[in-house]
Amino acid sequence: MSTQDPSLDALLARGYQHGFVTDIESDTVAPGLDRDTVRFISAKKGEPQFLLDWRLQALDRWYEMKEPHWAKLQYKPIDYQDISYYSAPKANTDGPKSLADVDPKLLATYEKLGVPLHERARLAGVAVDAVFDSVSVATTFKDRLSAAGVIFCPFSEAVHNHPELIERWLGTVVPYGDNYYAALNSAVFTDGSFVYIPKGVRCPMELSTYFRINAAKTGQFERTLIVADEGSHVSYLEGCTAPMRDENQLHAAVVELLALDDAQIKYSTVQNWYPGDENGVGGIYNFVTKRGECRGRNSRISWTQVETGSAITWKYPSCVLRGENSVGEFYSVAVTANYQQADTGTKMIHIGANTRSTIVSKGISAGHAQNTYRGQVSVMPGAHGARNFTQCDSLLLGGQCGAHTVPYIEVKNPQATVEHEASTSRISEEQLFYCLQRGLSQEDAINLIVGGFCKTVFRELPMEFAVEAQNLLAVSLEGAVG
Amino acid sequence: MTTPLLSIRDLRVRIGDREVLQGINLDVPAGQVHAIMGPNGSGKSSLSHVLAGKPGYTVTGGTVLFKGQDLLALPAEERAREGMFLGFQYPVEIPGVNNAYLLRAALNAARRHRSEPEVDAFDFLALVKSRMQLMRMDEAFLSRGVNEGFSGGEKKRNEILQMLVLEPSLAVLDETDSGLDIDALKVVAAGIQTLRAPDRAIVLVTHYQRLLDHVAPDQVHVLARGRIIKSGGPELALELERRGYDWLLDDAA
């Protein structure tokens, strides 16, 4: 492999810092997927009948569907019968009651990932749900949150404690038959987080879930559901890592957000699944369905994502703007290096009158990576006065990578305003030399320039995450430019 | 005589197969200001770039000693950290990166190189603000993107500000005076004067006498067709202002 600039090659030798494996005994079901697998998962979780029925319907639907191949992604076919659909650390039958019950090895794992679960060690103001393979292992600050009326707990716990909420809201934003991966997830999802913010409540702290894949040959299929009732506010953060392995592992999550009248949800992701090595071996296949519905008037949903990991990323966090005056936002930085491929973007569906949406996408490509922005802006006939602004910028590092922009715009209302701006650029020799002449190292110079490129997205992140994102960017591009 | 701070011997440089510097000899002792003048395309900017280590130039012969060490053997960032500063003729914009951030990173890179502790945020701000006053720059400038949307004059002021914060031992200023109005020229000249010190040297690359009215050079060199064809005192610049370059070019031909 050789790029035009030899120092670029040096930068492409990246280091993944979360690639360790926790040596913990796991209860892992044999690979394979059929109705019994679904029944097994449901029974393991002691689920009510309605949920089992829903799962089985999803599985039936999934059998009828075909894996989609419209994205600009190339990968070996996934053998869905060769994946284990359930893995949980042993001695964790009902989930831990408190941190004292959590296996110290697990606590140490999160400590090592920079997510200490001891509340006194946590950043004040951030509550964490830690999901390890198929199950949630700890949730912090539950008491303080419940005092405010906020429900923040593992999904499987919500199924037991608040079945009426789950039955009412589950699948109302992303139906089980929505797409191939959503159907798969609906059939076999194992855990995730559930959030309910009651009417008029401003969630007193940031909520976050930290997803960790540990076991080999397993997939992670988590499900997150956030309901913001009338006039409530919540900010939610999601982080993800996985060990370094030679085989590809599948991650197919579903996230549903629902904002009622005057409610606001801010959802931030820092996705750092293992991206594979410098030759493209291994890495996570990340096929994720994320959708928010602004069901109520004046509601607002904002997606901010920093995508640096995964061998394959297929992900389009979207907003259905049903309520009048509702607002959808999507801010994204997607970094691909080595042989990573990302096909990511958003959908903004304007249904209600005076709905507004903003899309800012920054794609950075290095090495042999392919980075595609795919976005859809639809304005329905009833969306009088709808407005969208889209800005898509791509930055190329080196001569072997690619950046692609695929916008779909569909306007069925003559009063709507839709703007789309796009640019593709390279880090210029001039900018690099300017920084070097001021004494900065090559790497610092590149991080500085790329950081500047991403600034409009980073400033949307909560402060604790903005710093992490900046650091992650530096690690991802380590050796990536020369 | 002590060793000059900068000593160039028979420097030959190509861009592609065109020889842009055809044997440059130049000594700049510490404490002095040297002006390099010459017509367009004579190699002035090439010389500045080669000293700073800009890619794209091939050195085919000669040596450059800076503080007694082989300057050409050092990568660009090492040269900067050793105290070689280039004031760019066309400073580049770096969108989204604020001026204060870049400048602090630059200062700390040099300090680490000298095994000094990094400057803390408060000391840094105090230092920059004092230099900005000198350059008559507004504080809002610190949080703006590097050269982003700056006028030509603002970019040049910014170069001098960076120089004053970094305090290099050798500053090569490539047409820093071009594109400045009279008032801005005075401010920039005053900034350059501030840097003059017995242990530092300044090389002014310029077309015009007017900067030299404010920053009196110790030596003036005329660069033409890739060679220094004449050197003299400050009076040479005045003569060039009066007579142009043609009489020298005819002599040299």
Side-chain angles (χ1 to χ4, degrees):
Chain A
M1 179 187 90
S2 153
T3 52
Q4 287 154 335
D5 187 340
S7 40
L8 196 66
D9 291 343
L11 233 153
L12 282 163
R14 77 152 66 187
Y16 185 73
Q17 300 186 331
H18 305 300
F20 63 91
V21 178
T22 305
D23 181 18
I24 193 159
E25 235 188 301
S26 284
D27 199 355
T28 303
V29 70
L33 174 57
D34 57 22
R35 292 177 75 87
D36 286 341
T37 319
V38 172
R39 285 198 188 91
F40 170 84
I41 293 170
S42 190
K44 198 88 185 160
K45 306 228 156 235
E47 288 177 349
Q49 187 66 37
F50 82 86
L51 198 49
L52 175 60
D53 293 345
W54 193 76
R55 286 176 179 277
L56 290 171
Q57 282 167 12
L59 184 68
D60 289 344
R61 185 77 188 87
W62 183 71
Y63 281 138
E64 297 163 6
M65 298 171 99
K66 283 207 160 45
E67 199 181 81
H69 288 288
W70 41 260
K72 190 174 169 56
L73 301 170
Q74 285 184 344
Y75 51 94
K76 276 189 237 144
I78 301 169
D79 182 353
Y80 294 91
Q81 298 304 332
D82 195 34
I83 295 170
S84 165
Y85 289 84
Y86 185 84
S87 175
K90 264 199 179 140
N92 202 348
T93 40
D94 296 320
K97 299 288 175 286
S98 75
L99 283 176
D101 300 335
V102 176
D103 188 319
K105 274 186 187 168
L106 288 175
L107 292 179
T109 298
Y110 285 92
E111 200 84 42
K112 209 163 158 186
L113 294 169
V115 190
L117 297 175
H118 293 290
E119 295 188 2
R120 63 190 149 76
R122 282 296 307 161
L123 292 163
V126 183
V128 181
D129 184 19
V131 176
F132 192 84
D133 290 331
S134 301
V135 294
S136 171
V137 294
T139 308
T140 64
F141 289 110
K142 271 188 192 169
D143 297 345
R144 209 176 131 189
L145 290 168
S146 62
V150 171
I151 303 171
F152 175 47
C153 64
F155 201 95
S156 42
E157 194 179 309
V159 168
H160 287 279
N161 298 344
H162 311 282
E164 72 293 347
L165 293 177
I166 300 294
E167 190 167 11
R168 180 166 172 203
W169 303 116
L170 179 68
T172 64
V173 179
V174 180
Y176 61 74
D178 187 80
N179 67 68
Y180 188 80
Y181 300 104
L184 176 64
N185 173 285
S186 301
V188 303
F189 77 87
T190 46
D191 219 329
S193 298
F194 175 72
V195 176
Y196 175 77
I197 315 289
K199 276 186 192 173
V201 170
R202 190 175 277 268
C203 187
M205 53 191 8
E206 304 268 357
L207 304 182
S208 85
T209 302
Y210 198 94
F211 294 100
R212 173 74 177 169
I213 295 177
N214 189 65
K217 299 217 120 193
T218 56
Q220 191 176 51
F221 306 93
E222 86 271 6
R223 185 121 195 155
T224 297
L225 174 56
I226 300 178
V227 179
D229 213 328
E230 293 172 18
S232 67
H233 286 228
V234 62
S235 171
Y236 178 93
L237 325 171
E238 174 199 85
C240 339
T241 58
M244 296 163 74
R245 297 189 194 284
D246 287 345
E247 84 264 22
N248 299 105
Q249 281 179 282
L250 179 63
H251 173 255
V254 171
V255 175
E256 295 181 274
L257 310 184
L258 189 56
L260 303 183
D261 286 358
D262 303 301
Q264 298 193 7
I265 302 175
K266 185 174 173 62
Y267 191 106
S268 312
T269 304
V270 172
Q271 185 264 106
N272 186 26
W273 295 120
Y274 177 54
D277 69 7
E278 68 277 10
N279 298 314
V281 176
I284 299 292
Y285 286 175
N286 192 34
F287 291 90
V288 171
T289 305
K290 290 184 168 176
R291 190 174 307 151
E293 184 175 326
C294 287
R295 196 167 291 176
R297 304 156 59 104
N298 308 319
S299 56
R300 183 187 203 104
I301 290 179
S302 179
W303 297 101
T304 305
Q305 62 171 20
V306 176
E307 304 279 318
T308 61
S310 297
I312 303 271
T313 297
W314 180 98
K315 173 179 171 187
Y316 315 90
S318 305
C319 296
V320 178
L321 304 170
R322 197 179 293 280
E324 255 176 56
N325 294 321
S326 59
V327 176
E329 294 171 316
F330 174 74
Y331 300 97
S332 170
V333 167
V335 184
T336 48
N338 298 322
Y339 286 85
Q340 279 178 281
Q341 303 173 65
D343 191 302
T344 183
T346 185
K347 286 192 268 187
M348 292 290 173
I349 314 295
H350 293 257
I351 299 171
N354 297 315
T355 46
R356 284 161 287 148
S357 62
T358 303
I359 299 171
V360 178
S361 163
K362 304 278 182 178
I364 299 153
S365 239
H368 294 253
Q370 295 293 332
N371 202 322
T372 302
Y373 167 80
R374 189 181 302 276
Q376 178 181 347
V377 176
S378 294
V379 179
M380 297 302 168
H384 305 294
R387 299 180 76 90
N388 161 265
F389 172 75
T390 300
Q391 186 185 348
C392 286
D393 298 319
S394 305
L395 190 64
L396 300 172
L397 313 182
Q400 315 275 315
C401 53
H404 317 273
T405 300
V406 190
Y408 303 88
I409 298 172
E410 177 192 38
V411 179
K412 293 179 180 164
N413 184 302
Q415 290 156 30
T417 313
V418 176
E419 292 174 72
H420 183 99
E421 289 178 8
S423 75
T424 301
S425 53
R426 284 176 188 282
I427 283 193
S428 78
E429 284 282 320
E430 301 285 328
Q431 288 173 332
L432 263 184
F433 178 61
Y434 191 82
C435 294
L436 295 181
Q437 212 304 304
R438 294 301 180 251
L440 274 66
S441 67
Q442 182 102 313
E443 292 206 7
D444 287 348
I446 285 155
N447 288 331
L448 186 96
I449 296 165
V450 174
F453 175 76
C454 299
K455 193 178 192 177
T456 47
V457 172
F458 283 170
R459 71 174 173 222
E460 295 297 325
L461 288 170
M463 183 116 82
E464 299 85 350
F465 254 31
V467 175
E468 188 184 335
Q470 187 82 45
N471 293 340
L472 200 53
L473 199 68
V475 173
S476 299
L477 293 174
E478 210 163 86
V481 193
Chain B
M1 190 180 141
T2 55
T3 331
L5 191 70
L6 177 71
S7 178
I8 305 175
R9 284 288 164 278
D10 198 32
L11 179 65
R12 290 173 174 273
V13 172
R14 286 175 178 278
I15 302 177
D17 44 9
R18 192 162 57 92
E19 189 163 47
V20 289
L21 298 179
Q22 306 180 3
I24 299 283
N25 289 288
L26 180 66
D27 283 329
V28 184
Q32 293 199 359
V33 173
H34 285 213
I36 296 181
M37 305 182 75
N40 287 328
S42 58
K44 301 192 298 296
S45 283
S46 295
L47 177 59
S48 311
H49 290 160
V50 169
L51 292 178
K54 186 173 180 172
Y57 296 87
T58 312
V59 175
T60 54
T63 56
V64 178
L65 294 181
F66 173 54
K67 296 198 279 195
Q69 58 179 325
D70 181 0
L71 185 70
L72 301 177
L74 299 176
E77 64 272 29
E78 292 280 321
R79 300 182 196 192
R81 292 172 200 163
E82 280 289 327
M84 192 270 152
F85 179 91
L86 173 64
F88 285 79
Q89 184 180 2
Y90 303 109
V92 68
E93 298 191 9
I94 310 179
V97 176
N98 79 44
N99 281 295
Y101 191 87
L102 172 67
L103 197 43
R104 191 168 162 212
L107 182 59
N108 281 331
R111 291 180 66 96
R112 279 196 303 272
H113 185 70
R114 297 192 294 259
S115 306
E116 292 168 11
E118 297 196 0
V119 63
D120 76 49
F122 294 103
D123 292 345
F124 172 73
L125 214 58
L127 171 70
V128 177
K129 284 185 176 172
S130 73
R131 300 294 191 270
M132 281 171 66
Q133 256 172 4
L134 206 65
M135 296 308 293
R136 306 208 188 154
M137 293 169 81
D138 191 274
E139 282 184 17
F141 145 91
L142 280 176
S143 51
R144 290 171 62 186
V146 175
N147 294 316
E148 200 178 351
F150 284 23
S151 70
E154 283 178 316
K155 286 182 182 174
K156 297 301 177 69
R157 270 187 218 215
N158 190 20
E159 293 295 291
I160 301 303
L161 173 72
Q162 294 183 353
M163 178 185 83
L164 293 181
V165 170
L166 297 175
E167 301 184 310
S169 36
L170 172 68
V172 177
L173 305 179
D174 191 2
E175 299 201 24
T176 298
D177 53 339
S178 65
L180 296 181
D181 61 33
I182 304 284
D183 293 332
L185 181 74
K186 281 186 184 161
V187 171
V188 162
I192 299 172
Q193 284 287 39
T194 317
L195 194 78
R196 283 184 104 150
D199 55 346
R200 299 199 185 111
I202 299 171
V203 174
L204 300 173
V205 174
T206 181
H207 272 298
Y208 305 106
Q209 165 63 30
R210 59 178 200 159
L211 177 63
L212 307 181
D213 290 340
H214 302 281
V215 186
D218 298 288
Q219 287 272 304
V220 175
H221 311 276
V222 179
L223 185 60
R225 296 174 188 145
R227 287 198 186 90
I228 288 178
I229 55 170
K230 192 168 180 66
S231 297
E235 70 287 346
L236 177 57
L238 293 168
E239 190 173 1
L240 292 170
E241 181 85 351
R242 233 178 20 251
R243 298 179 62 187
Y245 294 110
D246 285 351
W247 60 284
L248 283 174
L249 296 176
D250 294 342
D251 280 5

